[in-house]
Amino acid sequence: MLKTEELQINIGPQHPSTHGVFRLMATVDGETVVHLEPVFGYLHRNHEQLGEIWTYLQTITITDRLDYFNSMINEHGYCMTVEKLASIEVPERAEYIRVIMSELSRILNHAAAIGFWLQDMGSWGTTLMFGFRQREMIMDIFESVGGSRMMCNYMRFGGVARDLTPNLVEQINLFLEGFPQFIDDFERLMMENEILLARSRNVGVLPKELAAAYSVTGPVIRGSGIPYDIRRAEPYSIYDRFAFDIPVGSVGDVYDRFLVRMEEMRQSHRILRQAMEQLPQASGSYINQAYKAASKQQGLRLPAGEAYCRVESPKGELGYYIVSNGGNSAYRYGIRAPSLINLTALNDMCRGYTVADIVVILGSIDIVMGEVDR
Amino acid sequence: MTATPEQTTATQTALQPVGGGGVVVVERKQPGQSYGQGIAKGMAVVIRHFAKSFTSRIDDKSDQAGMFTVEYPEERMELPEAYRNMPVLLYDDKTGQELCTSCFQCERICPPKVIHITQAKDPNTGKAVPAAEEFIIEYDSCMSCGLCHEICPFDAIKMDHFYELSTHDHLAMDQNKAALDRPISYYQAIAPNLWAAVEANAMKKLQNNVKRRPGNIGVAPHMIGKTQKALPTAAAAGAGAAAAARPKTPVAAIGKNMSPEKVARLEAIRAAKRGGATMPGESEIVAPSPVASGESGLHVAESQAGLAPSPATTPAPATGPVAAVGQSMSDEKKARLEAIRAAKRAQGGGQ
Amino acid sequence: MPLLNQGELRALLERELPGALDPTRPVNRYGNVEATHQLEVEDQASDTMGDTSPPPATGDAAAERQADVVDKEEPSVPPLSQDDAVVRAERLPDVAAFLRDRLGYDYLSRVTAVDYPAYGLIEVVYHFYRIEGGPGQIVRVRVPRDNAVIPSITPMWPGANLEERVCYDLFGVHFPGHPYHKRIYMWDEFEGHPMRKDFEKIGDSYYHFKWKGEGGEE
């Protein structure tokens, strides 16, 4: 047999398919990937140290910049951690608002992630715009409630910054009304597309055992058939009140991850429906009255100790680790970034597939560089 | 825990954990029998949406097909009240007194540390006065987090809705107090409910602070002299007119505080650029030229909205920063939309 | 498998893996062993609150009391956790394997480091969970700052790969046995480890604005 020589090629850092400034060093044998080494750090800004310099309240504003697609969930996890450490009670209504925002955020993220993934696959524009339109509608809601479309800065310790007005409730209900139509359209648009099936079925397979060992989370581990979802595994906030299913895949390939994301959007919609129904009965205010004033939040000093809290971000398990020395800023502020850990498995997923598959597999992991590089 | 009475008395029984739900294995589609079926299905969706985009417009959040885009800059999205872009300072329309007392709360909370305040001092006694001598915000490194506006105990710093801030000059983004000052009526126009919620408190605090401000200290720079000499009623009208004549745009306001030669240079540049996509600057507002292409779009949008066509004759606060899409809808269209919505809701309930 | 609390895990490790737990008490910055620091904290607590329970975190009075506690000791260093299983660095792979294979903690959520210059320590914290759910286990390894070496668990637990690299890059903890032991965020030529507390911070704040007379624009 003819002996071929391995070649090393760089994909990125300035490559449209790497979802940011991210570099992949691929060793290829012909068209087949032999080894893949991701190179990080192009967007590194030592976010964790910033969290040690800024006060707890100020740090909320930079959690938005971690995974800038779903700032609401980032804030939720961070506020939960601080609340755990300071034992701040969150009123029921605030919990409902948080869950509503988190689930909207999940829909937003998945709609955009699938759009980007399809764009990576060559379905230029159309499908991305389908997802983006839905994202836009959710961002309008975020803008009305938080003031900004992406950097919401909405959650506070002990609740949220503003209450949901009746007008906004109406707006969210309208969105939920139209959502089934969207997801049906979105599904019909691509689900059975032969090109998509050809490019995603049995590509980038991550077996069940490997997925657990690699600590991957989110749609990646669920696509591999493990129903690991923190909303179920260690319910936080009020997720134990809602009925929802955890979608899992059967093969663990790229197609499964796509299907899992689709189904997760439906399940988020289901949670949202229940949450919106129960919201009027929820007791309490939108924020713990003792912490309503911003000056109270700014001067917040946490008792010395540490806390680790995990939330289910659309990308996977998002964890915040805070060590407090009793001051008003963290002694250590650490983040378990799902996008980063999910990339651990990239090499194994890509090995043996072609160079063209790399972008499809990378797109199916759904990374955001703001979170990977922190 | 300081719980309100409702909080404690509300029954928890209404919300029992339902929880539950299982694990579903997603159904994998097989490639269709005849090649191209799936693509055809997808194309059908695309064509339906494409056709619909010519006939209808998405005004309703529950609509899925139809025209969705907004043709900026001719049309603009309606901004929600809570929208925040850059912080500005408020002053009272009638007296020109600024609400800021230089308590340094915003300077302290600002995460990127872009707010710089110096406190005013009484020239006779040398004592600190509850007013800001100078107030500078570096707009270029402001992260628009809104914490300053949240913490301000005097409701003096608020988030503006103006977003067309792009410039090639970084240093010009440092805004001083004169450039940051906005009348309360302006903020009231962009965020009526938010202001209504804090108005009584803010004005009460202002009254208390004004007593401790000697002379013109704490009066917005361009208001000095305009309010003191006139009669109280006339002063109010004058203030309104002054507010109207004031440039809406902070970029234009930069020009106001620059040295005369720099202003002249800027004017020259602007004049050269006019006809291109220039920013609606000070000069255009003072002497509106409807033919300038950069301006005409705005005029179209405003006349659609049924507002006065010239921004120079209309007080800035009354028009609001933009003519909103929602506002451009006629009443019968709104009624029709309501009917459609109601029908949809009934349909949804029936299913 | 039963859920273990921290004490039970320690007892179990002591029984099943003799010598795995770290018996040494870290020395604090006063040259005393850690236990005295613990007492000190308790003293403060009894001064201000009259009992040893953590202060309530709500209300004005509580905030003031907390502020008092903090102001007494400046800069304060969080006390090291005494409850969790602290493991000798060289036995960490055994403990990790024990947790995974015998106790069923089959999911490694996080590997992170905390720098305690006051104690001369770097603490590396491992959070283990179960895929089925439930609370997790924390395993800590305390290594001296100037010789921070912990055997890598990446060969047996590939999920630790990137987290260990982050700990190496930002904290300077070495993980012999790691398959790709290189800096992850900083460039290879970079000197120092930026998340260490004594790393010189330059450029904490950015602004170009200068007051009059300082050579600024105005």
Side-chain angles (χ1 to χ4, degrees):
Chain A
M1 197 177 156
L2 192 69
K3 191 186 176 298
T4 54
E5 198 169 313
E6 285 179 359
L7 175 75
Q8 200 174 57
I9 55 169
N10 267 312
I11 304 174
Q14 278 90 20
H15 190 280
S17 291
T18 54
H19 296 235
V21 275
F22 176 51
R23 179 169 144 219
L24 291 162
M25 284 192 325
T27 312
V28 292
D29 182 3
E31 192 67 15
T32 315
V33 178
V34 180
H35 186 79
L36 197 71
E37 198 61 57
V39 182
F40 310 91
Y42 294 94
L43 207 59
H44 179 61
R45 54 214 186 271
N46 222 348
H47 177 108
E48 295 185 352
Q49 194 166 64
L50 208 50
E52 292 173 9
I53 296 165
W54 287 3
T55 63
Y56 290 111
L57 177 61
Q58 288 173 340
T59 306
I60 296 182
T61 63
I62 40 166
T63 58
D64 292 348
R65 273 91 174 154
L66 273 175
D67 172 1
Y68 39 78
F69 271 93
N70 33 29
S71 53
M72 286 289 190
I73 292 184
N74 297 343
E75 287 165 15
H76 192 175
Y78 176 69
C79 290
M80 267 172 53
T81 319
V82 172
E83 283 153 9
K84 184 177 173 187
L85 203 47
S87 29
I88 299 173
E89 259 178 48
V90 184
E92 203 176 24
R93 185 177 170 83
E95 291 280 24
Y96 272 96
I97 297 174
R98 283 181 175 191
V99 165
I100 288 166
M101 291 304 149
S102 295
E103 292 307 314
L104 282 173
S105 193
R106 198 179 313 279
I107 293 177
L108 179 155
N109 181 80
H110 284 341
I114 292 171
F116 279 125
W117 176 68
L118 293 168
Q119 172 125 333
D120 285 348
M121 209 178 273
S123 161
W124 283 96
T126 310
T127 43
L128 177 66
M129 285 306 138
F130 266 78
F132 256 45
R133 196 192 51 209
Q134 209 61 15
R135 174 170 179 255
E136 197 67 31
M137 285 174 179
I138 300 172
M139 289 209 298
D140 281 349
I141 294 169
F142 285 177
E143 196 178 19
S144 319
V145 75
S148 187
R149 290 146 56 79
M150 288 174 85
M151 307 300 152
C152 301
N153 192 12
Y154 178 54
M155 302 204 183
R156 294 285 178 275
F157 310 129
V160 294
R162 251 177 236 104
D163 201 2
L164 282 187
T165 57
N167 196 3
L168 260 163
V169 171
E170 167 80 350
Q171 204 177 337
I172 296 171
N173 278 331
L174 270 179
F175 165 78
L176 293 181
E177 240 169 68
F179 183 78
Q181 177 67 41
F182 156 76
I183 193 92
D184 287 347
D185 276 359
F186 205 33
E187 229 172 57
R188 218 168 298 136
L189 188 68
M190 287 313 285
M191 196 89 112
E192 288 169 52
N193 190 308
E194 278 79 4
I195 301 170
L196 180 138
L197 291 175
R199 287 210 63 184
S200 65
R201 280 168 65 89
N202 302 318
V203 169
V205 179
L206 185 69
K208 214 173 178 173
E209 309 74 44
L210 221 51
Y214 272 125
S215 299
V216 296
T217 40
V220 184
I221 198 171
R222 291 194 282 275
S224 295
I226 299 175
Y228 181 70
D229 187 324
I230 298 160
R231 290 176 293 173
R232 184 67 57 75
E234 201 184 354
Y236 60 95
S237 193
I238 47 165
Y239 275 108
D240 50 358
R241 291 186 185 175
F242 306 114
F244 62 97
D245 294 330
I246 299 174
V248 293
S250 43
V251 178
D253 58 2
V254 170
Y255 188 53
D256 265 344
R257 280 166 225 148
F258 160 66
L259 294 175
V260 164
R261 287 205 174 90
M262 278 295 202
E263 186 57 33
E264 260 178 40
M265 279 201 271
R266 286 181 190 278
Q267 298 299 336
S268 283
H269 178 249
R270 206 169 138 196
I271 296 174
L272 278 168
R273 278 270 189 213
Q274 298 170 42
M276 291 306 284
E277 252 168 45
Q278 296 173 14
L279 178 70
Q281 308 157 34
S283 65
S285 163
Y286 65 96
I287 190 165
N288 188 333
Q289 294 299 320
Y291 293 90
K292 200 170 176 183
S295 46
K296 273 274 181 300
Q297 306 235 342
Q298 166 76 345
L300 187 72
R301 286 168 187 271
L302 304 194
E306 61 167 65
Y308 180 60
C309 265
R310 311 177 293 157
V311 291
E312 182 69 24
S313 128
K315 313 272 197 293
E317 173 181 319
L318 174 68
Y320 285 93
Y321 179 66
I322 293 178
V323 181
S324 162
N325 59 356
N328 62 359
S329 55
Y331 184 80
R332 168 90 170 99
Y333 159 73
I335 298 141
R336 184 215 193 265
S339 297
L340 174 72
I341 314 283
N342 286 358
L343 281 174
T344 321
L346 186 66
N347 181 14
D348 270 76
M349 282 191 216
C350 290
R351 202 181 298 131
Y353 298 100
T354 60
V355 175
D357 288 333
I358 293 177
V359 288
V360 179
I361 295 167
L362 185 67
S364 79
I365 298 178
D366 181 19
I367 58 164
V368 160
M369 291 319 286
E371 191 176 59
V372 172
D373 283 349
R374 302 204 290 292
Chain B
M1 229 19 82
T2 55
T4 55
E6 308 94 83
Q7 267 174 287
T8 45
T9 53
T11 51
Q12 297 295 311
T13 47
L15 294 166
Q16 284 301 314
V18 255
V23 173
V24 290
V25 178
V26 289
E27 186 198 344
R28 288 168 71 88
K29 295 274 194 305
Q30 300 299 323
Q33 287 297 311
S34 60
Y35 205 69
Q37 223 173 37
I39 294 179
K41 252 188 188 175
M43 284 313 285
V45 175
V46 173
I47 288 167
R48 185 158 55 79
H49 280 255
F50 179 67
K52 203 80 185 285
S53 71
F54 288 99
T55 57
S56 75
R57 179 170 178 87
I58 296 183
D59 290 316
D60 189 324
K61 291 263 182 263
S62 64
D63 276 342
Q64 285 304 318
M67 196 58 184
F68 168 74
T69 47
V70 172
E71 299 206 2
Y72 180 84
E74 284 84 10
E75 288 179 295
R76 280 149 203 250
M77 308 264 289
E78 193 178 2
L79 292 174
E81 272 188 41
Y83 176 76
R84 53 186 149 83
N85 196 24
M86 292 288 161
V88 291
L89 293 174
L90 295 189
Y91 68 85
D92 185 32
D93 286 59
K94 291 195 191 80
T95 56
Q97 293 280 359
E98 285 162 348
L99 274 65
C100 177
T101 60
S102 69
C103 65
F104 296 96
Q105 290 267 19
C106 51
E107 187 175 320
R108 253 178 242 136
I109 204 172
C110 181
K113 299 275 173 253
V114 297
I115 301 179
H116 312 278
I117 309 173
T118 40
Q119 195 168 27
K121 293 232 162 46
D122 191 330
N124 303 321
T125 60
K127 278 186 183 161
V129 174
E133 161 110 53
E134 188 50 292
F135 197 109
I136 287 166
I137 302 180
E138 293 166 63
Y139 269 15
D140 57 342
S141 33
C142 170
M143 68 197 282
S144 302
C145 62
L147 288 181
C148 49
H149 123 104
E150 215 172 298
I151 202 167
C152 184
F154 301 95
D155 293 292
I157 190 162
K158 292 288 174 195
M159 303 308 277
D160 199 2
H161 284 198
F162 184 81
Y163 49 82
E164 288 158 320
L165 288 159
S166 37
T167 173
H168 56 270
D169 188 0
H170 255 272
L171 290 173
M173 299 287 279
D174 288 350
Q175 304 281 296
N176 63 9
K177 190 161 67 105
L180 289 169
D181 272 332
R182 299 282 184 287
I184 283 175
S185 55
Y186 170 77
Y187 184 67
Q188 209 169 8
I190 60 173
N193 292 331
L194 290 181
W195 177 247
V198 297
E199 182 172 12
N201 200 7
M203 295 317 282
K204 208 174 99 196
K205 283 180 178 167
L206 176 66
Q207 293 312 320
N208 288 336
N209 285 316
V210 167
K211 285 176 203 154
R212 291 158 58 201
R213 291 175 179 172
N216 275 337
I217 292 175
V219 179
H222 67 279
M223 298 288 285
I224 293 175
K226 286 182 187 164
T227 55
Q228 311 291 326
K229 289 165 197 160
L231 290 167
T233 46
R246 256 191 64 72
K248 298 192 279 187
T249 69
V251 174
I254 295 164
K256 198 154 190 171
N257 306 295
M258 283 188 298
S259 55
E261 56 270 39
K262 197 163 179 192
V263 172
R265 213 171 59 224
L266 200 74
E267 280 305 310
I269 294 168
R270 277 197 189 147
K273 276 194 190 156
R274 202 158 299 148
T278 50
M279 201 155 311
E282 192 177 9
S283 54
E284 284 97 324
I285 288 174
V286 173
S289 73
V291 282
S293 60
E295 278 286 82
S296 57
L298 198 64
H299 285 235
V300 170
E302 274 172 356
S303 53
Q304 271 176 353
L307 297 167
S310 165
T313 54
T314 318
T319 56
V322 289
V325 178
Q327 283 171 5
S328 63
M329 258 194 283
S330 60
D331 282 349
E332 58 267 39
K333 195 170 174 196
K334 268 184 191 155
R336 216 168 55 224
L337 198 72
E338 252 333 291
I340 295 169
R341 268 186 208 166
K344 257 191 198 159
R345 227 163 288 144
Q347 210 179 14
Q351 277 168 357
Chain C
M1 270 171 278
L3 290 170
L4 298 168
N5 65 26
Q6 295 151 331
E8 282 167 349
L9 178 72
R10 268 190 311 179
L12 197 66
L13 284 176
E14 206 143 354
R15 200 169 63 235
E16 301 281 331
L17 292 172
L21 288 181
D22 193 352
T24 54
R25 282 285 167 91
V27 175
N28 72 7
R29 65 208 155 101
Y30 303 117
N32 303 326
V33 283
E34 169 62 3
T36 49
H37 181 84
Q38 191 80 349
L39 279 176
E40 222 173 274
V41 172
E42 275 164 17
D43 282 347
Q44 275 174 11
S46 53
D47 280 347
T48 49
M49 277 156 293
D51 62 0
T52 50
S53 61
T58 55
D60 287 339
E64 275 169 29
R65 274 194 308 217
Q66 277 178 36
D68 285 347
V69 173
V70 170
D71 291 340
K72 273 184 189 169
E73 202 186 11
E74 196 74 41
S76 65
V77 178
L80 294 175
S81 165
Q82 298 294 311
D83 307 328
D84 295 324
V86 183
V87 170
R88 277 175 200 268
E90 59 273 17
R91 298 296 300 272
L92 177 75
D94 299 346
V95 174
F98 179 77
L99 273 168
R100 183 179 66 178
D101 303 332
R102 296 273 304 278
L103 302 180
Y105 288 92
D106 48 359
Y107 170 71
L108 175 66
S109 173
R110 178 132 177 76
V111 181
T112 187
V114 190
D115 185 17
Y116 293 101
Y119 307 126
L121 284 177
I122 284 185
E123 187 180 74
V124 180
V125 188
Y126 295 78
H127 289 268
F128 295 96
Y129 286 89
R130 284 177 178 157
I131 284 284
E132 309 91 79
Q137 281 297 351
I138 299 176
V139 171
R140 291 159 197 277
V141 182
R142 287 171 187 156
V143 284
R145 292 182 89 229
D146 42 9
N147 183 27
V149 182
I150 298 172
S152 171
I153 58 168
T154 304
M156 56 173 286
W157 219 318
N161 185 333
L162 296 177
E163 294 272 37
E164 284 184 350
R165 278 179 68 190
V166 173
C167 288
Y168 164 64
D169 188 1
L170 303 182
F171 286 92
V173 184
H174 291 261
F175 293 94
H178 191 284
Y180 195 75
H181 198 250
K182 284 191 177 174
R183 284 187 179 275
I184 181 167
Y185 291 141
M186 312 308 289
W187 52 103
D188 289 347
E189 299 79 20
F190 188 83
E191 282 176 18
H193 303 283
M195 281 296 281
R196 286 204 177 194
K197 292 277 175 191
D198 53 2
F199 186 82
E200 197 187 341
K201 292 181 186 64
I202 37 166
D204 275 359
S205 51
Y206 151 80
Y207 45 79
H208 53 73
F209 170 75
K210 290 197 174 64
W211 291 105
K212 278 171 196 166
E214 281 181 62
E217 206 239 348
E218 287 171 90

